[in-house]
Amino acid sequence: MGYPDNVLAADERVVLHRHPHWKRLIGPVFALLLLTALAGFGVGVVNHTAWDHMATKIVMLVIAVIWLILIGWLTLWPVLNWRSTHFVITDRRVMFRHGVMTRSGIDIPLARINSVEFSHGLVDRILRTGTLIIESASQDPLEFDDIPSVERVHSLLYHEVFDTLGSDESPS
């Protein structure tokens, strides 16, 4: 799926479109599994009690409602947040958009970028992700965490910046 065309200029083209790395979804998946196991255990315990039939139904309903609320908060919301976060490089700018209900974002024209760096620790290197650091002409460096294949993105952005500037230092 490409980035929505309605935010691009007439002759602007998307060079790269990424969501954050899938490692951000590890916690929500574990939460889903753990909460489902706990809810199943709770239902099993309630099922084997000698309570009144109506009391058993009410307790099971309470377990289901609590499960749904926690799943929405700890699983669904982070997945929606991950899905609605976009890191996009076009032939003119770098765009970062995030947020589900309230959206925010930043655009950095390629001509204003002074330097591009990346960093990643051991776990990030194993998972092939990292932090991309972009320093523009008028701002403090901006850090974009959990960019998949951060070294390739760094290299691509470096080439795009020099192609935009038309510099003699431009790599081939």
Side-chain angles (χ1 to χ4, degrees):
M1 177 182 109
Y3 196 69
D5 292 334
N6 62 348
V7 298
L8 301 176
D11 56 348
E12 187 174 18
R13 68 177 176 83
V14 173
V15 176
L16 176 89
H17 176 211
R18 295 268 199 266
H19 292 286
H21 194 269
W22 57 262
K23 82 175 189 177
R24 284 196 184 176
L25 301 177
I26 293 172
V29 168
F30 280 135
L32 173 67
L33 296 174
L34 180 65
L35 291 170
T36 301
L38 288 173
F41 178 76
V43 166
V45 167
V46 169
N47 229 6
H48 284 85
T49 59
W51 293 346
D52 178 39
H53 180 67
M54 187 57 125
T56 303
K57 276 188 169 182
I58 290 173
V59 172
M60 285 194 184
L61 183 64
V62 167
I63 290 172
V65 167
I66 290 171
W67 179 82
L68 279 172
I69 289 170
L70 290 175
I71 290 299
W73 177 41
L74 297 174
T75 300
L76 185 60
W77 186 255
V79 169
L80 289 174
N81 215 352
W82 173 84
R83 185 75 179 135
S84 66
T85 301
H86 301 272
F87 181 80
V88 180
I89 299 174
T90 71
D91 56 351
R92 293 184 184 182
R93 58 189 164 154
V94 174
M95 297 185 290
F96 182 74
R97 304 280 189 273
H98 63 94
V100 177
M101 304 272 270
T102 305
R103 303 260 318 145
S104 60
I106 186 168
D107 291 357
I108 306 167
L110 293 180
R112 299 251 183 204
I113 293 176
N114 290 341
S115 68
V116 182
E117 304 172 37
F118 70 90
S119 68
H120 50 181
L122 180 61
V123 173
D124 284 344
R125 289 181 70 187
I126 292 169
L127 295 175
R128 298 177 4 138
T129 184
T131 301
L132 188 69
I133 304 161
I134 300 175
E135 185 177 339
S136 63
S138 62
Q139 297 177 343
D140 291 334
L142 297 169
E143 294 187 5
F144 302 100
D145 296 323
D146 298 327
I147 302 295
S149 304
V150 70
E151 290 184 49
R152 286 189 8 219
V153 173
H154 169 267
S155 177
L156 176 74
L157 184 55
Y158 177 78
H159 287 279
E160 285 296 321
V161 167
F162 274 104
D163 289 347
T164 298
L165 295 177
S167 172
D168 291 336
E169 299 175 24
S170 178
S172 304

